[in-house]
Amino acid sequence: MKHIPVILFGAGGVGRALLWQIVVSRPVVAGRNQIVFNVVAVVDSRSWVWAPAGLADDQLLALVAAKAEGQRLGPERPGNVEIVEQAAAAGLEGALVVDVTAEAGMEPLLDRALASGYGVVLANKKPLAGPWSTAQRYYNNPRLRHESTVGGGQPVIATLRYLLDTNDPIFRIEGQMSGTLGYICGRLDEGVPFSQAVAEARANGYTEPDPREDLGGLDVRRKIMILGRMAGWPLEEADITIETLYPPALASLPVEAFMAKIGVMDGPIRERVAAARAAGALLRYTAELEAGVGSVGLKPVSREEPLANLKYISFRTALYNDQPMMIGGKGAGVEMTAAGVLGDMIGLVREG
Ligand SMILES: NC(=O)c1ccc[n+]([C@@H]2O[C@H](COP(=O)([O-])OP(=O)(O)OC[C@H]3O[C@@H](n4cnc5c(N)ncnc54)[C@H](OP(=O)(O)O)[C@@H]3O)[C@@H](O)[C@H]2O)c1
């Protein structure tokens, strides 16, 4: 049996689902892969809990419950890099550092973890979507995995890796890459005003805390950049145009003021829905990338096309050219995302 220390950064929706899954899947993970995950640290933005011998399952479940109620994890936390240094100083070997935050600036932590011989698992897209000069070291790194950065728990990254490993070059990538925008487009199909669809998505917890993260297309652009970079294009943000679903005047308002004003988009979007419908199409927020040039935005998609009816990501390759490889299903949600992280943790231990 391998006992693997785990240092978890982020105890939001995904982090808590992951802790719960680590606990309930213990018999399966031990039985199938002879692995026991010992969570030695859980860290949020302000506080942390540190237990170099590993937290017991009842402690982990109590942390999940306390965090869900808005309580602190524990005392004030040290800096990111200091936490990994503390783990190394405590003699923890072969640990996994798991980043399920949505933070920028995590690179020094990741670099310190990799330098310590630790594995890294990301649901956080930002380190992979920064300038190529900084991000490229996280690609093709056998000690770093990031399945949940695209498609939640669906094996999008694993499929792309398989295509690349088997020398099948990627010609084109396209898909609906946002559960939030997929939901909003579905509500537009039903005649719901845009502002109402956004408010519903937010109330249901589908959006990021600031819905502009979704509506601005930034999250989708990060995903298509990650896939494109894996496919071999050294993409920068400027290589992918994005359509932002709110006017520049609303960009710097506080979130609640933004929500109060998003109704200004109702008229223009209603017109686009009607124009698409008149042409036998539905509006979909899609991402596409070919020959290193991409776009992200709202497009009319013919009702007959799969993209109008299904949420998937497709890869057109030398072998899958006339009919692309498609991965789809219910991708978003904290449980699926956490399962993708857990799968990466198991994969790193098994193959690392
Ligand atoms: N939700 C989904 O369905 C989904 C799907 C795919 C990918 N993802 C990605 O998964 C990540 C997590 O999503 P989420 O929904 O769990 O977000 P969330 O609920 O907003 O949780 C984020 C967590 O990160 C913590 N945090 C912030 N800065 C930190 C730091 N410097 N060090 C340690 N922790 C820090 C926050 O701390 P506090 O609790 O103190 O605020 C919070 O616990 C994001 O990158 C997201 O894009 C999510």
mmCIF file of all heavy atoms in Angstrom, residues 144-189:
data_model
loop_
_atom_site.group_PDB
_atom_site.id
_atom_site.type_symbol
_atom_site.label_atom_id
_atom_site.label_comp_id
_atom_site.label_asym_id
_atom_site.label_seq_id
_atom_site.Cartn_x
_atom_site.Cartn_y
_atom_site.Cartn_z
ATOM 1 N N LEU A 144 2.831 16.643 -13.554
ATOM 2 C CA LEU A 144 1.733 17.616 -13.409
ATOM 3 C C LEU A 144 0.548 17.184 -14.270
ATOM 4 O O LEU A 144 0.718 16.860 -15.451
ATOM 5 C CB LEU A 144 2.221 19.001 -13.829
ATOM 6 C CG LEU A 144 1.227 20.163 -13.649
ATOM 7 C CD1 LEU A 144 1.979 21.449 -13.315
ATOM 8 C CD2 LEU A 144 0.363 20.392 -14.887
ATOM 9 N N ARG A 145 -0.614 17.142 -13.670
ATOM 10 C CA ARG A 145 -1.832 16.757 -14.409
ATOM 11 C C ARG A 145 -2.931 17.792 -14.193
ATOM 12 O O ARG A 145 -2.974 18.445 -13.152
ATOM 13 C CB ARG A 145 -2.317 15.392 -13.940
ATOM 14 C CG ARG A 145 -1.300 14.317 -14.294
ATOM 15 C CD ARG A 145 -1.918 12.967 -14.305
ATOM 16 N NE ARG A 145 -0.914 12.019 -14.718
ATOM 17 C CZ ARG A 145 -1.170 10.841 -15.229
ATOM 18 N NH1 ARG A 145 -2.414 10.440 -15.375
ATOM 19 N NH2 ARG A 145 -0.196 10.037 -15.586
ATOM 20 N N HIS A 146 -3.843 17.865 -15.186
ATOM 21 C CA HIS A 146 -4.864 18.925 -15.104
ATOM 22 C C HIS A 146 -6.147 18.547 -15.837
ATOM 23 O O HIS A 146 -6.712 19.365 -16.543
ATOM 24 C CB HIS A 146 -4.285 20.237 -15.641
ATOM 25 C CG HIS A 146 -3.749 20.153 -17.044
ATOM 26 N ND1 HIS A 146 -4.511 20.457 -18.148
ATOM 27 C CD2 HIS A 146 -2.536 19.791 -17.514
ATOM 28 C CE1 HIS A 146 -3.784 20.282 -19.232
ATOM 29 N NE2 HIS A 146 -2.579 19.878 -18.878
ATOM 30 N N GLU A 147 -6.574 17.299 -15.680
ATOM 31 C CA GLU A 147 -7.771 16.855 -16.406
ATOM 32 C C GLU A 147 -8.962 17.781 -16.180
ATOM 33 O O GLU A 147 -9.716 18.087 -17.108
ATOM 34 C CB GLU A 147 -8.138 15.431 -15.958
ATOM 35 C CG GLU A 147 -9.317 14.830 -16.687
ATOM 36 C CD GLU A 147 -9.060 14.704 -18.191
ATOM 37 O OE1 GLU A 147 -8.238 13.890 -18.598
ATOM 38 O OE2 GLU A 147 -9.682 15.469 -18.951
ATOM 39 N N SER A 148 -9.147 18.246 -14.952
ATOM 40 C CA SER A 148 -10.366 18.999 -14.633
ATOM 41 C C SER A 148 -10.337 20.443 -15.094
ATOM 42 O O SER A 148 -11.300 21.170 -14.869
ATOM 43 C CB SER A 148 -10.621 18.965 -13.120
ATOM 44 O OG SER A 148 -10.984 17.660 -12.761
ATOM 45 N N THR A 149 -9.246 20.860 -15.749
ATOM 46 C CA THR A 149 -9.240 22.241 -16.229
ATOM 47 C C THR A 149 -10.137 22.424 -17.449
ATOM 48 O O THR A 149 -10.530 23.550 -17.755
ATOM 49 C CB THR A 149 -7.807 22.721 -16.592
ATOM 50 O OG1 THR A 149 -7.232 21.788 -17.509
ATOM 51 C CG2 THR A 149 -6.942 22.842 -15.362
ATOM 52 N N VAL A 150 -10.443 21.347 -18.156
ATOM 53 C CA VAL A 150 -11.328 21.439 -19.331
ATOM 54 C C VAL A 150 -12.339 20.301 -19.268
ATOM 55 O O VAL A 150 -11.961 19.132 -19.177
ATOM 56 C CB VAL A 150 -10.533 21.331 -20.655
ATOM 57 C CG1 VAL A 150 -11.476 21.531 -21.843
ATOM 58 C CG2 VAL A 150 -9.395 22.338 -20.702
ATOM 59 N N GLY A 151 -13.619 20.659 -19.298
ATOM 60 C CA GLY A 151 -14.650 19.610 -19.360
ATOM 61 C C GLY A 151 -14.957 18.963 -18.025
ATOM 62 O O GLY A 151 -15.518 17.859 -18.008
ATOM 63 N N GLY A 152 -14.600 19.622 -16.921
ATOM 64 C CA GLY A 152 -14.873 19.022 -15.606
ATOM 65 C C GLY A 152 -14.191 17.663 -15.523
ATOM 66 O O GLY A 152 -13.000 17.564 -15.779
ATOM 67 N N GLY A 153 -14.914 16.635 -15.189
ATOM 68 C CA GLY A 153 -14.308 15.308 -15.039
ATOM 69 C C GLY A 153 -14.258 14.499 -16.324
ATOM 70 O O GLY A 153 -13.722 13.391 -16.340
ATOM 71 N N GLN A 154 -14.789 15.029 -17.414
ATOM 72 C CA GLN A 154 -14.784 14.243 -18.662
ATOM 73 C C GLN A 154 -13.355 14.091 -19.162
ATOM 74 O O GLN A 154 -12.569 15.042 -19.066
ATOM 75 C CB GLN A 154 -15.596 14.962 -19.737
ATOM 76 C CG GLN A 154 -17.038 15.131 -19.366
ATOM 77 C CD GLN A 154 -17.754 16.032 -20.353
ATOM 78 O OE1 GLN A 154 -18.720 15.644 -20.956
ATOM 79 N NE2 GLN A 154 -17.264 17.229 -20.522
ATOM 80 N N PRO A 155 -13.025 12.944 -19.756
ATOM 81 C CA PRO A 155 -11.618 12.723 -20.165
ATOM 82 C C PRO A 155 -11.258 13.450 -21.453
ATOM 83 O O PRO A 155 -10.917 12.834 -22.463
ATOM 84 C CB PRO A 155 -11.551 11.199 -20.331
ATOM 85 C CG PRO A 155 -12.936 10.791 -20.671
ATOM 86 C CD PRO A 155 -13.862 11.760 -19.978
ATOM 87 N N VAL A 156 -11.313 14.772 -21.405
ATOM 88 C CA VAL A 156 -10.962 15.588 -22.576
ATOM 89 C C VAL A 156 -9.443 15.641 -22.728
ATOM 90 O O VAL A 156 -8.891 15.396 -23.798
ATOM 91 C CB VAL A 156 -11.544 17.010 -22.430
ATOM 92 C CG1 VAL A 156 -11.072 17.907 -23.567
ATOM 93 C CG2 VAL A 156 -13.060 16.963 -22.377
ATOM 94 N N ILE A 157 -8.766 15.953 -21.626
ATOM 95 C CA ILE A 157 -7.296 16.054 -21.657
ATOM 96 C C ILE A 157 -6.696 14.679 -21.937
ATOM 97 O O ILE A 157 -5.759 14.538 -22.722
ATOM 98 C CB ILE A 157 -6.772 16.595 -20.297
ATOM 99 C CG1 ILE A 157 -7.414 17.950 -19.966
ATOM 100 C CG2 ILE A 157 -5.256 16.644 -20.261
ATOM 101 C CD1 ILE A 157 -6.936 19.122 -20.741
ATOM 102 N N ALA A 158 -7.240 13.648 -21.294
ATOM 103 C CA ALA A 158 -6.721 12.290 -21.496
ATOM 104 C C ALA A 158 -6.876 11.879 -22.958
ATOM 105 O O ALA A 158 -5.979 11.250 -23.535
ATOM 106 C CB ALA A 158 -7.458 11.304 -20.586
ATOM 107 N N THR A 159 -7.999 12.245 -23.568
ATOM 108 C CA THR A 159 -8.219 11.883 -24.972
ATOM 109 C C THR A 159 -7.235 12.619 -25.872
ATOM 110 O O THR A 159 -6.634 12.028 -26.779
ATOM 111 C CB THR A 159 -9.664 12.240 -25.372
ATOM 112 O OG1 THR A 159 -10.545 11.553 -24.483
ATOM 113 C CG2 THR A 159 -9.958 11.845 -26.806
ATOM 114 N N LEU A 160 -7.050 13.904 -25.584
ATOM 115 C CA LEU A 160 -6.107 14.685 -26.392
ATOM 116 C C LEU A 160 -4.692 14.121 -26.248
ATOM 117 O O LEU A 160 -3.956 13.984 -27.232
ATOM 118 C CB LEU A 160 -6.177 16.156 -25.956
ATOM 119 C CG LEU A 160 -5.260 17.134 -26.676
ATOM 120 C CD1 LEU A 160 -5.400 17.044 -28.191
ATOM 121 C CD2 LEU A 160 -5.559 18.562 -26.210
ATOM 122 N N ARG A 161 -4.344 13.760 -25.028
ATOM 123 C CA ARG A 161 -3.003 13.198 -24.804
ATOM 124 C C ARG A 161 -2.838 11.891 -25.593
ATOM 125 O O ARG A 161 -1.796 11.653 -26.210
ATOM 126 C CB ARG A 161 -2.793 12.974 -23.299
ATOM 127 C CG ARG A 161 -1.372 12.576 -22.962
ATOM 128 C CD ARG A 161 -1.134 12.548 -21.470
ATOM 129 N NE ARG A 161 -1.106 13.876 -20.890
ATOM 130 C CZ ARG A 161 -1.793 14.249 -19.820
ATOM 131 N NH1 ARG A 161 -2.555 13.373 -19.192
ATOM 132 N NH2 ARG A 161 -1.707 15.470 -19.355
ATOM 133 N N TYR A 162 -3.891 11.074 -25.589
ATOM 134 C CA TYR A 162 -3.832 9.808 -26.325
ATOM 135 C C TYR A 162 -3.648 10.069 -27.830
ATOM 136 O O TYR A 162 -2.836 9.411 -28.496
ATOM 137 C CB TYR A 162 -5.113 8.995 -26.042
ATOM 138 C CG TYR A 162 -5.555 8.106 -27.167
ATOM 139 C CD1 TYR A 162 -4.912 6.884 -27.402
ATOM 140 C CD2 TYR A 162 -6.591 8.479 -28.013
ATOM 141 C CE1 TYR A 162 -5.302 6.079 -28.457
ATOM 142 C CE2 TYR A 162 -6.984 7.690 -29.063
ATOM 143 C CZ TYR A 162 -6.337 6.495 -29.287
ATOM 144 O OH TYR A 162 -6.715 5.719 -30.332
ATOM 145 N N LEU A 163 -4.401 11.046 -28.365
ATOM 146 C CA LEU A 163 -4.276 11.353 -29.796
ATOM 147 C C LEU A 163 -2.852 11.810 -30.115
ATOM 148 O O LEU A 163 -2.257 11.390 -31.106
ATOM 149 C CB LEU A 163 -5.289 12.441 -30.188
ATOM 150 C CG LEU A 163 -6.766 12.022 -30.147
ATOM 151 C CD1 LEU A 163 -7.662 13.254 -30.253
ATOM 152 C CD2 LEU A 163 -7.087 11.017 -31.251
ATOM 153 N N LEU A 164 -2.294 12.655 -29.257
ATOM 154 C CA LEU A 164 -0.942 13.155 -29.494
ATOM 155 C C LEU A 164 0.089 12.038 -29.339
ATOM 156 O O LEU A 164 1.017 11.916 -30.147
ATOM 157 C CB LEU A 164 -0.633 14.305 -28.531
ATOM 158 C CG LEU A 164 -1.488 15.565 -28.744
ATOM 159 C CD1 LEU A 164 -1.391 16.491 -27.540
ATOM 160 C CD2 LEU A 164 -1.066 16.298 -30.020
ATOM 161 N N ASP A 165 -0.100 11.209 -28.304
ATOM 162 C CA ASP A 165 0.846 10.105 -28.065
ATOM 163 C C ASP A 165 0.883 9.140 -29.246
ATOM 164 O O ASP A 165 1.910 8.534 -29.526
ATOM 165 C CB ASP A 165 0.454 9.318 -26.803
ATOM 166 C CG ASP A 165 0.798 10.066 -25.527
ATOM 167 O OD1 ASP A 165 1.553 11.054 -25.602
ATOM 168 O OD2 ASP A 165 0.304 9.655 -24.459
ATOM 169 N N THR A 166 -0.261 8.988 -29.903
ATOM 170 C CA THR A 166 -0.319 8.015 -31.004
ATOM 171 C C THR A 166 -0.064 8.682 -32.357
ATOM 172 O O THR A 166 -0.424 8.149 -33.396
ATOM 173 C CB THR A 166 -1.681 7.287 -31.013
ATOM 174 O OG1 THR A 166 -2.734 8.265 -31.032
ATOM 175 C CG2 THR A 166 -1.833 6.404 -29.786
ATOM 176 N N ASN A 167 0.548 9.869 -32.317
ATOM 177 C CA ASN A 167 1.011 10.541 -33.534
ATOM 178 C C ASN A 167 -0.131 10.888 -34.479
ATOM 179 O O ASN A 167 -0.018 10.766 -35.688
ATOM 180 C CB ASN A 167 2.050 9.649 -34.255
ATOM 181 C CG ASN A 167 2.749 10.382 -35.372
ATOM 182 O OD1 ASN A 167 2.950 11.594 -35.286
ATOM 183 N ND2 ASN A 167 3.096 9.680 -36.430
ATOM 184 N N ASP A 168 -1.255 11.318 -33.889
ATOM 185 C CA ASP A 168 -2.397 11.724 -34.709
ATOM 186 C C ASP A 168 -2.529 13.245 -34.591
ATOM 187 O O ASP A 168 -3.092 13.753 -33.619
ATOM 188 C CB ASP A 168 -3.666 11.018 -34.192
ATOM 189 C CG ASP A 168 -4.806 11.132 -35.170
ATOM 190 O OD1 ASP A 168 -4.586 11.679 -36.273
ATOM 191 O OD2 ASP A 168 -5.911 10.671 -34.849
ATOM 192 N N PRO A 169 -1.988 13.999 -35.543
ATOM 193 C CA PRO A 169 -1.945 15.465 -35.369
ATOM 194 C C PRO A 169 -3.337 16.087 -35.300
ATOM 195 O O PRO A 169 -4.269 15.648 -35.959
ATOM 196 C CB PRO A 169 -1.185 15.958 -36.602
ATOM 197 C CG PRO A 169 -1.254 14.840 -37.578
ATOM 198 C CD PRO A 169 -1.419 13.571 -36.823
ATOM 199 N N ILE A 170 -3.452 17.139 -34.508
ATOM 200 C CA ILE A 170 -4.738 17.818 -34.286
ATOM 201 C C ILE A 170 -4.878 18.938 -35.318
ATOM 202 O O ILE A 170 -4.020 19.826 -35.398
ATOM 203 C CB ILE A 170 -4.785 18.435 -32.862
ATOM 204 C CG1 ILE A 170 -4.349 17.414 -31.795
ATOM 205 C CG2 ILE A 170 -6.169 19.011 -32.567
ATOM 206 C CD1 ILE A 170 -5.197 16.197 -31.664
ATOM 207 N N PHE A 171 -5.947 18.883 -36.098
ATOM 208 C CA PHE A 171 -6.206 19.928 -37.092
ATOM 209 C C PHE A 171 -7.127 21.014 -36.538
ATOM 210 O O PHE A 171 -6.968 22.183 -36.840
ATOM 211 C CB PHE A 171 -6.870 19.343 -38.350
ATOM 212 C CG PHE A 171 -6.031 18.321 -39.067
ATOM 213 C CD1 PHE A 171 -6.635 17.345 -39.847
ATOM 214 C CD2 PHE A 171 -4.645 18.324 -38.958
ATOM 215 C CE1 PHE A 171 -5.876 16.402 -40.512
ATOM 216 C CE2 PHE A 171 -3.876 17.382 -39.629
ATOM 217 C CZ PHE A 171 -4.497 16.415 -40.403
ATOM 218 N N ARG A 172 -8.138 20.575 -35.776
ATOM 219 C CA ARG A 172 -9.157 21.539 -35.356
ATOM 220 C C ARG A 172 -9.755 21.088 -34.020
ATOM 221 O O ARG A 172 -9.971 19.891 -33.792
ATOM 222 C CB ARG A 172 -10.253 21.599 -36.422
ATOM 223 C CG ARG A 172 -11.376 22.544 -36.104
ATOM 224 C CD ARG A 172 -12.426 22.562 -37.233
ATOM 225 N NE ARG A 172 -13.621 23.273 -36.806
ATOM 226 C CZ ARG A 172 -13.760 24.597 -36.830
ATOM 227 N NH1 ARG A 172 -12.782 25.356 -37.282
ATOM 228 N NH2 ARG A 172 -14.860 25.174 -36.409
ATOM 229 N N ILE A 173 -10.032 22.068 -33.162
ATOM 230 C CA ILE A 173 -10.683 21.795 -31.874
ATOM 231 C C ILE A 173 -11.909 22.693 -31.809
ATOM 232 O O ILE A 173 -11.816 23.889 -32.135
ATOM 233 C CB ILE A 173 -9.735 22.129 -30.698
ATOM 234 C CG1 ILE A 173 -8.426 21.346 -30.808
ATOM 235 C CG2 ILE A 173 -10.427 21.852 -29.354
ATOM 236 C CD1 ILE A 173 -7.351 21.781 -29.812
ATOM 237 N N GLU A 174 -13.054 22.128 -31.449
ATOM 238 C CA GLU A 174 -14.206 23.016 -31.253
ATOM 239 C C GLU A 174 -15.118 22.432 -30.188
ATOM 240 O O GLU A 174 -15.027 21.258 -29.834
ATOM 241 C CB GLU A 174 -14.981 23.245 -32.563
ATOM 242 C CG GLU A 174 -15.776 22.060 -33.034
ATOM 243 C CD GLU A 174 -16.702 22.402 -34.208
ATOM 244 O OE1 GLU A 174 -16.436 23.364 -34.947
ATOM 245 O OE2 GLU A 174 -17.691 21.683 -34.378
ATOM 246 N N GLY A 175 -15.995 23.267 -29.682
ATOM 247 C CA GLY A 175 -16.959 22.749 -28.729
ATOM 248 C C GLY A 175 -17.630 23.838 -27.926
ATOM 249 O O GLY A 175 -17.347 25.028 -28.085
ATOM 250 N N GLN A 176 -18.548 23.381 -27.115
ATOM 251 C CA GLN A 176 -19.144 24.245 -26.084
ATOM 252 C C GLN A 176 -18.358 23.946 -24.823
ATOM 253 O O GLN A 176 -18.369 22.817 -24.358
ATOM 254 C CB GLN A 176 -20.602 23.868 -25.853
ATOM 255 C CG GLN A 176 -21.557 24.325 -26.914
ATOM 256 C CD GLN A 176 -22.984 24.184 -26.412
ATOM 257 O OE1 GLN A 176 -23.352 24.726 -25.383
ATOM 258 N NE2 GLN A 176 -23.778 23.431 -27.144
ATOM 259 N N MET A 177 -17.696 24.938 -24.285
ATOM 260 C CA MET A 177 -16.757 24.676 -23.188
ATOM 261 C C MET A 177 -17.167 25.343 -21.891
ATOM 262 O O MET A 177 -16.361 25.462 -20.983
ATOM 263 C CB MET A 177 -15.352 25.135 -23.592
ATOM 264 C CG MET A 177 -14.896 24.427 -24.854
ATOM 265 S SD MET A 177 -13.173 24.603 -25.186
ATOM 266 C CE MET A 177 -13.099 23.824 -26.792
ATOM 267 N N SER A 178 -18.395 25.786 -21.819
ATOM 268 C CA SER A 178 -18.844 26.408 -20.576
ATOM 269 C C SER A 178 -20.233 25.891 -20.228
ATOM 270 O O SER A 178 -21.187 26.115 -20.974
ATOM 271 C CB SER A 178 -18.884 27.929 -20.745
ATOM 272 O OG SER A 178 -19.671 28.507 -19.713
ATOM 273 N N GLY A 179 -20.309 25.189 -19.108
ATOM 274 C CA GLY A 179 -21.620 24.737 -18.643
ATOM 275 C C GLY A 179 -22.526 25.930 -18.368
ATOM 276 O O GLY A 179 -23.727 25.894 -18.651
ATOM 277 N N THR A 180 -21.939 26.996 -17.831
ATOM 278 C CA THR A 180 -22.716 28.192 -17.500
ATOM 279 C C THR A 180 -23.336 28.804 -18.751
ATOM 280 O O THR A 180 -24.537 29.084 -18.794
ATOM 281 C CB THR A 180 -21.781 29.249 -16.872
ATOM 282 O OG1 THR A 180 -20.985 28.611 -15.892
ATOM 283 C CG2 THR A 180 -22.554 30.390 -16.283
ATOM 284 N N LEU A 181 -22.505 28.998 -19.789
ATOM 285 C CA LEU A 181 -23.018 29.623 -21.008
ATOM 286 C C LEU A 181 -23.925 28.650 -21.765
ATOM 287 O O LEU A 181 -24.859 29.072 -22.445
ATOM 288 C CB LEU A 181 -21.859 30.119 -21.866
ATOM 289 C CG LEU A 181 -21.127 31.298 -21.205
ATOM 290 C CD1 LEU A 181 -19.784 31.561 -21.863
ATOM 291 C CD2 LEU A 181 -21.978 32.560 -21.245
ATOM 292 N N GLY A 182 -23.674 27.351 -21.621
ATOM 293 C CA GLY A 182 -24.584 26.364 -22.213
ATOM 294 C C GLY A 182 -25.964 26.473 -21.584
ATOM 295 O O GLY A 182 -26.993 26.437 -22.272
ATOM 296 N N TYR A 183 -25.980 26.628 -20.261
ATOM 297 C CA TYR A 183 -27.264 26.789 -19.555
ATOM 298 C C TYR A 183 -27.966 28.066 -20.022
ATOM 299 O O TYR A 183 -29.161 28.063 -20.324
ATOM 300 C CB TYR A 183 -27.013 26.846 -18.038
ATOM 301 C CG TYR A 183 -28.243 27.207 -17.244
ATOM 302 C CD1 TYR A 183 -29.167 26.227 -16.881
ATOM 303 C CD2 TYR A 183 -28.511 28.531 -16.886
ATOM 304 C CE1 TYR A 183 -30.321 26.557 -16.173
ATOM 305 C CE2 TYR A 183 -29.652 28.872 -16.189
ATOM 306 C CZ TYR A 183 -30.545 27.882 -15.826
ATOM 307 O OH TYR A 183 -31.689 28.212 -15.135
ATOM 308 N N ILE A 184 -27.215 29.154 -20.096
ATOM 309 C CA ILE A 184 -27.820 30.440 -20.492
ATOM 310 C C ILE A 184 -28.377 30.338 -21.915
ATOM 311 O O ILE A 184 -29.507 30.775 -22.183
ATOM 312 C CB ILE A 184 -26.778 31.577 -20.344
ATOM 313 C CG1 ILE A 184 -26.515 31.822 -18.851
ATOM 314 C CG2 ILE A 184 -27.245 32.853 -21.033
ATOM 315 C CD1 ILE A 184 -25.356 32.749 -18.550
ATOM 316 N N CYS A 185 -27.627 29.719 -22.829
ATOM 317 C CA CYS A 185 -28.120 29.577 -24.216
ATOM 318 C C CYS A 185 -29.383 28.722 -24.241
ATOM 319 O O CYS A 185 -30.311 29.011 -25.008
ATOM 320 C CB CYS A 185 -27.043 28.958 -25.106
ATOM 321 S SG CYS A 185 -25.697 30.103 -25.449
ATOM 322 N N GLY A 186 -29.423 27.679 -23.418
ATOM 323 C CA GLY A 186 -30.629 26.830 -23.362
ATOM 324 C C GLY A 186 -31.845 27.628 -22.910
ATOM 325 O O GLY A 186 -32.950 27.477 -23.449
ATOM 326 N N ARG A 187 -31.632 28.527 -21.958
ATOM 327 C CA ARG A 187 -32.746 29.364 -21.484
ATOM 328 C C ARG A 187 -33.144 30.390 -22.553
ATOM 329 O O ARG A 187 -34.325 30.694 -22.707
ATOM 330 C CB ARG A 187 -32.361 30.062 -20.175
ATOM 331 C CG ARG A 187 -32.145 29.115 -19.012
ATOM 332 C CD ARG A 187 -33.406 28.368 -18.626
ATOM 333 N NE ARG A 187 -34.305 29.184 -17.814
ATOM 334 C CZ ARG A 187 -35.629 29.037 -17.789
ATOM 335 N NH1 ARG A 187 -36.209 28.136 -18.562
ATOM 336 N NH2 ARG A 187 -36.373 29.799 -17.016
ATOM 337 N N LEU A 188 -32.166 30.897 -23.307
ATOM 338 C CA LEU A 188 -32.500 31.811 -24.415
ATOM 339 C C LEU A 188 -33.373 31.087 -25.442
ATOM 340 O O LEU A 188 -34.332 31.662 -25.969
ATOM 341 C CB LEU A 188 -31.228 32.338 -25.096
ATOM 342 C CG LEU A 188 -30.299 33.219 -24.260
ATOM 343 C CD1 LEU A 188 -29.056 33.604 -25.063
ATOM 344 C CD2 LEU A 188 -31.015 34.484 -23.771
ATOM 345 N N ASP A 189 -33.049 29.801 -25.706
ATOM 346 C CA ASP A 189 -33.881 29.004 -26.642
ATOM 347 C C ASP A 189 -35.340 29.005 -26.180
ATOM 348 O O ASP A 189 -36.251 28.952 -26.995
ATOM 349 C CB ASP A 189 -33.452 27.525 -26.662
ATOM 350 C CG ASP A 189 -32.075 27.305 -27.256
ATOM 351 O OD1 ASP A 189 -31.521 28.248 -27.836
ATOM 352 O OD2 ASP A 189 -31.560 26.169 -27.126
#
